[in-house]
Amino acid sequence: MRLRREARPATTHPQVLAGARVVLPAGTVPDGRVTIDGEKITAEAPHADVVDVTGHWLVPGFIDLHNHGGGGASFHGKAEDVQKAIHTHRLHGTTTLVASTVTDDMDFLVRQAGLLSELAEQGDLAGIHFEGPFISPCRKGAHSEALLRHPDPAQVRKLIDAARGQARMVTLATELPGGLDSVRLLAEHGVIAAVGHTDATYEQTVQAIEAGATVATHLFNAMPPLGHRAPGPIAALLEDERVTVELINDGTHLHPAALELAFRHAGPQRVAFITDAMDAAGIGDGHYLLGPLEVEVSKGVARLVEGGSIAGSTLTLDRAFQRAVTIDRIPVGDVVAALSANPARLLGIDDRVGSLEPGKDADLVLLDENFELKGVMRKGNWVVDPQLA
């Protein structure tokens, strides 16, 4: 099987992908069939072309809630840079993507929100995630401390308004002045409040969840560690059934035991695998920028030139999938939930994407028996085209 890494128009004739192990919400169907008619999955289509994909896995397209760029481009760039980053991740199975910003000057973030919202309005993005500037200087990670600010609800509202209805999530250090009021504001406007880059105590995190926070931004990273006398935010975020926890499964951000702890305690329905990718994803080692900060990528690990903090990742979701199944030994159905169904439900778009069911968008990923990516379809278009030899 060879890949053609270019988009083709949605087929004008229905087709059936037949013979694969198809992962559905109810379980895996061996020798399954998925029928595509135009941009949608359908229950049946008379006279459809049959494509034999025996020996492969067929899973829903991946959904990335937290992504800063890829292919040498970032979501802080111009429209063509943003499109390049989007396309890079589509080649790796991410058919739905939320663009994440990093801390910068507020005026710049407002302008960038306008650009990203246009791309979201035309369907290229699933919305905007503002990671910063409302985070703790104690847990800033790869964010410019000089540009951080308290989460004043008026400033949070400024970013929401600039996004023109396309703001999906804001990461906050909710223990800072204005934090809880900002969480309430976000909840009132239907925007996800995420606890992250935080120095909060267990009790403060519980307060944030009660105020409406529903996501843990890259759990374990950029927050106090779990302690037996001071459990901190990790315990509060893991124990509450209202919270979805983001995990970066690249082998750098998390020890396998931490990943297993999160899965066991939160359960597979509350985990969302993310990339937290920066420009180097899909490219390789070298020097890059993450917002205004210089980053060096060596052996696939991104770190700030000044200080050495981990600066996002070079991960793509196909690699997160493969690692979860082959190294972490997580059941395939649970991995699919973490990459597709759970983020779709969190974003409120599970009526359109997140599973291979009739009526939903024809977004799917084809993997071989070793879980290597072999095909990607988005809305009936082959982005990575598996042509049978």
Side-chain angles (χ1 to χ4, degrees):
M1 180 174 290
R2 55 192 174 88
L3 303 184
R4 179 159 59 194
R5 295 184 177 273
E6 58 184 38
R8 283 172 37 180
T11 177
T12 56
H13 198 270
Q15 61 181 275
V16 176
L17 304 181
R21 286 167 283 193
V22 180
V23 182
L24 300 173
T28 299
V29 179
D31 194 21
R33 296 165 66 90
V34 174
T35 303
I36 296 115
D37 192 355
E39 295 186 354
K40 298 290 183 179
I41 298 170
T42 185
E44 59 182 25
H47 312 297
D49 297 330
V50 177
V51 180
D52 184 3
V53 288
T54 301
H56 292 74
W57 292 85
L58 200 57
V59 302
F62 308 144
I63 301 172
D64 198 350
L65 298 169
H66 188 154
N67 185 314
H68 298 283
S74 84
F75 296 124
H76 273 225
K78 297 178 180 179
E80 53 268 31
D81 298 316
V82 174
Q83 292 283 13
K84 184 177 182 181
I86 292 169
H87 184 65
T88 295
H89 286 280
R90 284 186 186 167
L91 293 176
H92 293 275
T94 298
T95 52
T96 302
L97 188 150
V98 175
S100 300
T101 63
V102 295
T103 296
D104 213 311
D105 177 84
M106 279 293 290
D107 289 340
F108 173 84
L109 291 174
V110 166
R111 292 194 303 272
Q112 197 65 12
L115 183 154
L116 295 172
S117 66
E118 290 182 14
L119 294 171
E121 288 161 0
Q122 67 188 39
D124 293 325
L125 292 170
I128 307 167
H129 163 216
F130 296 101
E131 188 183 22
F134 312 113
I135 61 177
S136 172
C138 301
R139 305 285 175 177
K140 64 182 184 298
H143 291 255
S144 172
E145 184 168 353
L147 296 171
L148 300 182
R149 57 177 63 214
H150 290 162
D152 174 10
Q155 294 298 302
V156 174
R157 178 63 185 270
K158 186 176 181 180
L159 289 184
I160 295 174
D161 290 345
R164 303 200 304 263
Q166 300 300 326
R168 295 290 173 264
M169 183 159 62
V170 178
T171 292
L172 305 161
T174 55
E175 76 277 9
L176 295 176
L180 293 180
D181 286 338
S182 290
V183 169
R184 296 185 186 102
L185 171 73
L186 292 168
E188 288 171 3
H189 286 81
V191 179
I192 298 164
V195 177
H197 288 277
T198 177
D199 204 40
T201 63
Y202 172 87
E203 292 77 14
Q204 288 171 326
T205 307
V206 169
Q207 285 184 311
I209 296 168
E210 290 299 327
T214 57
V215 165
T217 295
H218 43 53
L219 187 74
F220 297 107
N221 296 110
M223 59 183 62
L226 185 66
H228 64 293
R229 292 193 181 94
I234 294 171
L237 294 163
L238 280 176
E239 72 184 11
D240 198 298
E241 294 184 355
R242 294 169 289 185
V243 176
T244 298
V245 297
E246 295 182 347
L247 298 176
I248 309 171
N249 192 26
D250 63 351
T252 297
H253 281 78
L254 295 175
H255 189 281
L259 184 81
E260 183 180 8
L261 173 68
F263 256 95
R264 284 181 178 273
H265 203 84
Q269 302 309 309
R270 288 178 46 216
V271 170
F273 280 140
I274 61 164
T275 61
D276 195 17
M278 45 79 71
D279 300 26
I283 293 291
D285 292 355
H287 291 270
Y288 300 87
L289 288 175
L290 183 60
L293 302 180
E294 294 184 15
V295 175
E296 182 175 1
V297 178
S298 177
K299 297 180 180 179
V301 178
R303 294 187 179 275
L304 291 182
V305 171
E306 185 176 343
S309 293
I310 293 177
S313 85
T314 61
L315 186 65
T316 53
L317 285 182
D318 58 332
R319 293 306 177 200
F321 191 117
Q322 186 181 51
R323 180 181 178 85
V325 175
T326 63
I327 296 176
D328 303 308
R329 302 297 178 184
I330 299 170
V332 172
D334 291 349
V335 177
V336 169
L339 285 168
S340 302
N342 298 346
R345 184 174 60 251
L346 184 69
L347 292 171
I349 56 176
D350 52 327
D351 60 329
R352 295 188 289 107
V353 294
S355 61
L356 300 177
E357 296 177 283
K360 295 193 177 183
D361 291 351
D363 291 359
L364 53 86
V365 175
L366 190 68
L367 305 163
D368 69 13
E369 65 276 9
N370 297 315
F371 299 97
E372 290 281 351
L373 184 144
K374 295 298 177 182
V376 180
M377 177 180 282
R378 183 176 187 270
K379 292 187 176 181
N381 295 334
W382 283 115
V383 181
V384 175
D385 187 359
Q387 296 195 331
L388 298 178

